[in-house]
Amino acid sequence: MIPFDYHRATDVAGAVATADAREAVFLAGGTNLVDRMKLGVTSPDVVVDIGGLALDGVEELPDGGLRIGATARNSDLAAHPVVLRDYPVLARALLSGASGQLRNLATTGGNLLQRTRCSYFQDVSTPCNKREPGTGCSAIGGYNRQHAVLGASEQCVATHPSDMAVAMAALDARVVVRGPAGERVVPLVDLHRLPGDEPDRDTVLTRADLITAVDLPPLPDGTRSLYRKVRDRASFAFALVSVAVVLRVDGGVVRDVRVALGGVAHKPWRARRAEEVLLGSPAEEEVFRRAADAELAAARPLPDNGFKVPLVRNTLVSALRDLSLGER
Amino acid sequence: MDGDVELDVDGRSRTLRVDSRTTLLDALREGLGVTSVKKGCDHGQCGSCTVLLGGRRVVTCLTFAIAHDGATVTTAEGLGAGGRPHPVQEAFVERDAFQCGFCTPGQVCSAVGMLAEARDGRPSAVTDDLTGPVELSDDEVRERMSGNLCRCGAYGNIVDAIQDVAR
Ligand SMILES: Cc1cc2nc3c(=O)[nH]c(=O)nc-3n(C[C@H](O)[C@H](O)[C@H](O)COP(=O)(O)OP(=O)(O)OC[C@H]3O[C@@H](n4cnc5c(N)ncnc54)[C@H](O)[C@@H]3O)c2cc1C
Ligand code: SF4
Ligand code: FES
Ligand code: FES
């Protein structure tokens, strides 16, 4: 690992100013950053520790929503009574990610900004446009079983690895960011980018942008939600594909629906086409299938990951079925 | 860059000077000679480096020591009290819950942390009712312990040992 200066920030403005002035990265739980620094994928001049900023609270908002602090631990968020009661999709997504002893370190902000697990990205001996722009993509033409089927580019076919972010995309979460120019709010669905011609940029944030919180809007009464993750082993593995559904059915008709997919794209994939088919339609299996097919019409699988298309379809249909039948 | 870190490790106050690059795992093993904390993968994937940090189970290989000035660390060496092993450790011996023993310090620390989480009513990915009481079925124990790998495959007896303590 390249030597670096360690700076423990004591206030938000100071953290942002330090990160603005130097080649810096923010350190939260460290579970992704330290890993990347060991691998030589990330080599900052200074590490700005945000653990002392008191951003770990989880508070109910006056509008009935929830404000989640950027350094709230994934384990604590998953055990928060309001999350367990009102946002089961989020609790389940968090609990299906990593392990107990990682979730005790991992934070909200760090989970959102963790970088892809593409094995070529993590191996500095191989070309990778995300790690070193212009060197080429080893996954295209290489081993691409884990990679994207939606929204990829000729430059990069990586997927975003977070479970939590998929649930938050379905919950219409808003990300509160403090940058050198002040505070702004970024809808979670717009936080991460598609790779396009700039696969090195995962998100719309710049180096000194600090996430301070994530806000969840309240859900209308009668809304149900779930997260379903499919992986190579029963626990402690990243998603092959995952599905987050937030659904309200009344009188047999879909009145409100939000669907997000994980493991399929460079960002948590909000399935707007599926939502269009579902909204106002009867909550029936045939409709669920049409919705999944509508979303997946744009899928462009790679040689090793064609299985993801039927896997997403079946997972989404079963999630919608179980949720509309009143299962967890 | 170097920095001084004061840690309470297994009830003893220890001070050491670390390079900013030093993980908590390396600080414990190399800096303080606490070699019960094992380095398996060094990437968060195996759980053999698990300790209790401020009473909560964490992996120590993905966190910098310099960020933990003033922290309280309990390793497998410090779990017992009054000259006796911790009940989880006794159960591991009783149930033959290991073979080579390399993963065992991490397993027992993880189990102690996990049992406290369950006692606090925290659900897991396999809990049916997120807001109901937690009942530690074998499936629950397996799910909650999935961050600790055992190359010898002592999993069956590890679950039994933990259940002896949970019941
Ligand atoms: C073995 C293993 C298995 C895993 N399995 C899963 C899984 O199944 N599902 C899953 O979703 N995740 C999984 N993870 C990833 C884990 O969830 C992330 O590593 C963790 O959430 C990152 O949070 P952190 O606080 O440790 O982030 P850090 O490592 O501290 O930071 C990650 C990145 O975010 C930046 N950052 C952190 N906080 C902020 C902030 N507030 N503002 C701006 N930038 C910030 C950092 O600069 C860094 O670039 C796994 C990790 C490991 C090691
Ligand atoms: S898919 Fe993206 S991250 Fe992976 S090798 Fe290609 S450019 Fe790099
Ligand atoms: S050595 Fe830390 S998890 Fe493997
Ligand atoms: S007892 Fe040998 S690795 Fe678990």
Side-chain angles (χ1 to χ4, degrees), chain A residues 1 3-6 30-31 34-35 38-39 49 75-76 79 84 92 95 99 101-102 104-105 235-236 328, chain B residues 1 20-21 42-45 50 56-59 61-62 67 110 117 122 127-128 130 143 146-148:
Chain A
M1 201 183 295
F4 61 87
D5 288 340
Y6 170 83
T31 60
V34 177
D35 208 0
K38 286 184 182 184
L39 294 166
D49 187 348
S75 54
D76 294 333
L84 293 172
R92 295 239 176 247
L95 291 171
S99 65
Q101 52 271 62
L102 285 161
N104 274 339
L105 291 169
S235 185
F236 198 22
R328 56 170 152 148
Chain B
M1 169 186 162
S20 53
R21 292 171 289 182
D42 215 17
H43 289 283
Q45 298 168 1
T50 303
R56 291 155 59 108
R57 57 177 173 157
V58 299
V59 293
C61 60
L62 294 183
S110 187
E117 292 161 13
R122 294 186 166 213
T127 310
D128 276 335
L130 287 178
E143 163 59 27
S146 69
N148 292 85

Side-chain angles (χ1 to χ4, degrees), chain B residues 10-11 50-52 73-82 84-89 104-113:
Chain B
D10 296 331
T50 303
V51 303
L52 300 175
V73 175
T74 308
T75 75
E77 282 176 52
L79 281 177
R84 287 187 61 83
H86 187 279
V88 168
Q89 291 169 315
T104 311
Q107 298 275 6
V108 295
C109 287
S110 187
V112 171

